Amino acid sequence: MLEYRLAELCAHRALELAHGVHCVDLRPFGLTLTVPGLQPDVSAPPFPVDDARPPDDEARPPDDEARPSTSADPTPRQPPCDAVQRVRSIAHQRSAMEARLLGAAQDLTAEIGAALLADKGYADVDELTPARRRKWAETKRLACAELQVALGLGVREARQLVGVACAPAPVRTVVAEALETGLASWGHVRAFWERCGTLPADEAPLVSESLFGADPDLAVPERLAPDGTLLDRPWHQAEFWAALEREAVRVEGQDVLAERERRHRARAERRVWMRVDDDSTATLAVTGPLTSVCAISQRIDACAKALRKSGDERTLAQLRSDVAQTLLLHGRLDLPGRAEGTLTTPPTGRTLPTGPTGDPLLTPAESEAVAQIVTAQPSITLEVVVPFDALTGQPACT
């Protein structure tokens, strides 16, 4: 383990080292550590191998050589290793409290469910029919509402908390143990549930065991030491995200039909949404098939680079945004023709020359109907309502 020898180095070499430098004596191993600005003392005898650190009376300089304490520095500086250890200890306690919070959320959901059963005239969940069990989402909804009020959480985080608390027993047990030991934090658990919460009940435990379990044979390589044992340290964020995505894809790929259905469902849920920001800007997001979105991004990027190459002073990021806005606001689409290079215009049936038709891998389905609507759509007219007080600078009513 690395030891901090800041006091010894300052006393023997009279040099102020940067706070947090790791110094370790390597002479028992036949090595020499060279510090910039210091000349190695070859005459000093090496420390014994069984006691690499010198005795306290040898390490401590004489009283007359010690640096006197001043009013600006009344107490000796605490080694950084103690502060790091204190941070780790507090983080460990925080994770343990988050595990207890999960248990409390589970108890809350169970109590709400028991109250609802009693209100409906049932004594146990087993008395419900399969159809009623599938519709029994009111319990989680009420539990989320209670957590939002009690903890001030948003809807999404409250749902994730209730979801993990009500997860299958293998997942819930492994996650709680990971929080208790400090291996994971609530951020890791949230990411896991957001990615794997929709997996079947027999597949989600496989991912949780590899990420949070205590069995080295099932753990991911990022958690293993060279000798095959589990590392005694918390998850690193980048490693966790990579392992999470890899394990989730591996589990999903085991069932080909289920994976195909998941991809069809994801395509069916394509959408466009807008978020209004508080700095007079807004964000527009589009989800769709991978090929189409990649082609869109490549086309916008090519237009931006061409403008930049021609001498436009705007940055590439600004040009990408401006190109996309211009295309969406004022762009027109050539109607796909019956044959390549032609355009059939209804209702006259005239055929006009056009460019080649779009690639079916890139063009969305039913693009002909979309092209007709977009081409016939007039330019947008935006009406901005401004309060009269903002224009005059005076209240309208006094």
Side-chain angles (χ1 to χ4, degrees):
M1 179 179 179
L2 295 179
E3 300 180 8
Y4 291 86
R5 303 282 184 83
L6 298 181
E8 291 88 341
L9 289 174
C10 291
H12 288 288
R13 305 298 182 184
L15 179 65
E16 291 291 339
L17 297 181
H19 196 56
V21 175
H22 298 278
C23 302
V24 63
D25 183 49
L26 303 178
R27 284 178 289 176
F29 306 97
L31 303 175
T32 303
L33 178 64
T34 303
V35 179
L38 298 180
Q39 297 297 328
D41 187 3
V42 296
S43 62
F47 299 133
V49 176
D50 57 347
D51 186 12
R53 189 169 182 175
D56 293 339
D57 55 348
E58 296 181 11
R60 187 183 302 110
D63 294 338
D64 55 347
E65 294 181 8
R67 182 170 59 90
S69 177
T70 61
S71 58
D73 187 14
T75 58
R77 180 176 296 176
Q78 193 176 17
C81 58
D82 295 342
V84 172
Q85 187 61 32
R86 186 167 64 254
V87 169
R88 290 178 177 175
S89 177
I90 295 175
H92 190 175
Q93 297 174 16
R94 180 191 63 182
S95 298
M97 292 300 297
E98 289 168 344
R100 295 178 59 183
L101 179 61
L102 277 178
Q106 181 186 3
D107 296 339
L108 173 64
T109 308
E111 292 180 5
I112 293 177
L116 288 178
L117 285 174
D119 184 64
K120 300 293 183 180
Y122 296 98
D124 192 78
V125 182
D126 296 333
E127 299 179 9
L128 297 176
T129 62
R132 286 185 175 273
R133 288 187 182 183
R134 286 192 296 269
K135 296 179 181 179
W136 198 252
E138 189 176 0
T139 300
K140 291 184 178 180
R141 183 181 63 81
L142 292 177
C144 291
E146 292 290 346
L147 290 175
Q148 287 179 255
V149 175
L151 304 180
L153 302 178
V155 177
R156 184 175 184 180
E157 187 170 1
R159 289 177 178 175
Q160 291 173 338
L161 182 58
V162 173
V164 177
C166 300
V171 174
R172 191 171 61 247
T173 303
V174 171
V175 167
E177 291 177 356
L179 290 174
E180 289 285 355
T181 59
L183 170 65
S185 64
W186 173 238
H188 297 116
V189 176
R190 283 187 62 185
F192 159 74
W193 188 251
E194 185 174 0
R195 180 63 178 84
C196 304
T198 57
L199 292 178
D202 58 339
E203 295 181 359
L206 299 178
V207 182
S208 63
E209 184 66 32
S210 63
L211 296 177
F212 306 120
D215 189 352
D217 296 333
L218 301 178
V220 293
E222 289 85 351
R223 297 182 54 202
L224 298 178
D227 58 355
T229 59
L230 293 175
L231 294 173
D232 185 18
R233 62 171 177 82
W235 264 111
H236 290 176
Q237 193 71 11
E239 293 180 352
F240 177 79
W241 279 105
L244 171 62
E245 185 63 26
R246 184 183 67 244
E247 292 300 308
V249 171
R250 180 180 63 84
V251 171
E252 291 170 344
Q254 295 177 358
D255 191 343
V256 178
L257 295 179
E259 175 64 13
R260 188 175 301 169
E261 178 63 26
R262 185 183 72 87
R263 296 192 177 202
H264 284 306
R265 186 170 59 251
R267 287 195 173 212
E269 294 175 353
R270 60 187 181 275
R271 61 195 179 99
V272 175
W273 56 267
M274 187 193 74
R275 183 187 70 240
V276 178
D277 302 320
D278 58 356
D279 56 355
S280 74
T281 63
T283 301
L284 181 70
V286 181
T287 63
L290 174 63
T291 53
S292 298
V293 176
C294 286
I296 292 171
S297 176
Q298 192 174 27
R299 186 184 185 193
I300 293 175
D301 188 67
C303 294
K305 289 182 178 179
L307 288 170
R308 181 69 176 173
K309 188 176 181 179
S310 64
D312 200 303
E313 296 182 354
R314 288 171 289 182
T315 64
L316 282 176
Q318 294 171 343
L319 287 171
R320 292 188 187 100
S321 176
D322 294 344
V323 167
Q325 293 178 58
T326 304
L327 286 173
L328 293 176
L329 281 174
H330 309 291
R332 299 297 182 93
L333 294 178
D334 293 332
L335 298 178
R338 298 297 180 182
E340 183 173 346
T342 62
L343 171 64
T344 303
T345 58
T348 61
R350 289 191 307 166
T351 301
L352 302 177
T354 63
T357 57
D359 190 336
L361 290 178
L362 305 180
T363 306
E366 304 296 335
S367 59
E368 183 175 356
V370 174
Q372 293 177 3
I373 297 298
V374 172
T375 304
Q377 185 73 20
S379 299
I380 191 68
T381 301
L382 182 65
E383 296 182 359
V384 181
V385 179
V386 180
F388 183 77
D389 300 358
L391 295 177
T392 61
Q394 298 177 355
C397 301
T398 56

